[in-house]
Amino acid sequence: MALSDAPLLRALAGDRPARTPVWFMRQAGRSLPEYRDLRVGTRMLDACLTPDLAAEITLQPVRRHGVDAAVFFSDIVIPLRLAGVDVEIEPGRGPVFADPVRTASDVDRVTAIDPDDLDGTAIAEAVGIVTAELGDTPLIGFAGAPFTLAAYLVEGGPSKEHLRARAMMHSDPESWNRLAGWLARVSRRFLETQRDAGASVVQLFDSWAGSLSTADYRAFVAPHSHAALADISLPTIHFGVGTGPFLADMRLDGVADGVGVDWRQPLDEAAAILGPDVTVQGNIDPALLAAPWPVLEAHVRDVIDRGRAARAHILNLGHGVPPETDPDQLTRIVELAHSL
Ligand SMILES: Cc1c2[nH]c(c1CCC(=O)O)Cc1[nH]c(c(CCC(=O)O)c1C)Cc1[nH]c(c(CCC(=O)O)c1C)Cc1[nH]c(c(C)c1CCC(=O)O)C2
């Protein structure tokens, strides 16, 4: 099989390949004992920037589960680290920034860095190792959407409602647009590095977009996500959580070939909203990974049935794999999807 015939790429082009492609957000990570073994003694972001380690972690779930794609082991804050921003990932918490970006002069400080100066060597090297081993299995590159990155950067760390970033949009729209425009260029640069090194698909994660009103999403966020993804010359997937109220906007005016749907919205309903020109991705409820297999199996069959309403369907979770997941549950889902 040629890479271009891979079920994931066929589905993103709008075809219905013989088998439903399946991969899992956060498939490379803590649910795998072989991942936990490799990570001992190495901080998260250092692991991402060690090419042979990042490559090996990327490949682990492909070998174990037989998924239809690898997703590059990295993090949405890696391009910020490469830009010289002081960021760490605190285990069990998430990204933490030493100097939050809250005022117009903070925005001046970070946006003075030219995204074209980011050194992507370690990323390119890791992607090269991965794609050489993957052969005809596609590698998905990714980046954080400007709003989700800003939700961390303005707050200084994880938050529930991202109040400071959402306040900045209204109290100082000029600074907000400068910051979000810069973040779009940083993420774009990260996507291009992965593309140029051999990734076959890119996914933009706007995990926290669900905290926005539809009006704010349209006015302050969508144009920047559009800039991060437009004309990237690879198939694109755009994912968010809680984006039901503005799901059609997630198509980004035709820039997204696939739209990720969370577990709250049945795929047939989502497909009706998204229309005939987009592939749907999702949306197994991550909570059900902890249920007995017959319960999970019935849910996965229902997701696949509802996905038939779309032009094409990529089976995935509605959000990432929870760390405590039994990896055998993921393998069973892949076997089921490929048997139907
Ligand atoms: C919001 C976000 C982040 N990072 C990411 C997002 C968007 C996706 C989503 O919504 O889940 C993206 C991401 N992060 C990671 C990947 C790798 C590829 C994959 O398997 O999907 C991807 C695509 C690895 C990771 N990124 C992180 C881990 C866990 C780190 C560890 O093993 O200690 C992994 C495997 C750390 C991280 N990084 C981030 C968080 C909230 C955390 C969790 C902190 C924790 O609970 O410990 C920021």
Side-chain angles (χ1 to χ4, degrees), residues 121-143:
T121 315
I123 303 304
E125 202 181 311
V127 168
I129 299 169
V130 169
T131 51
E133 175 152 343
L134 280 175
D136 55 16
T137 300
L139 173 67
I140 301 169
F142 73 92

Side-chain angles (χ1 to χ4, degrees), residues 25-30 35 39 44 71-76 89 91-95 142 152 205 207-208 319:
M25 293 183 278
R26 288 281 171 91
Q27 65 188 20
R30 284 176 299 183
Y35 166 81
R39 272 290 316 285
M44 173 63 193
V71 56
F72 185 50
F73 177 79
S74 195
D75 197 84
I76 58 170
I89 289 189
R93 194 163 167 238
F142 73 92
Y152 290 110
F205 282 91
S207 303
W208 309 136
H319 198 178

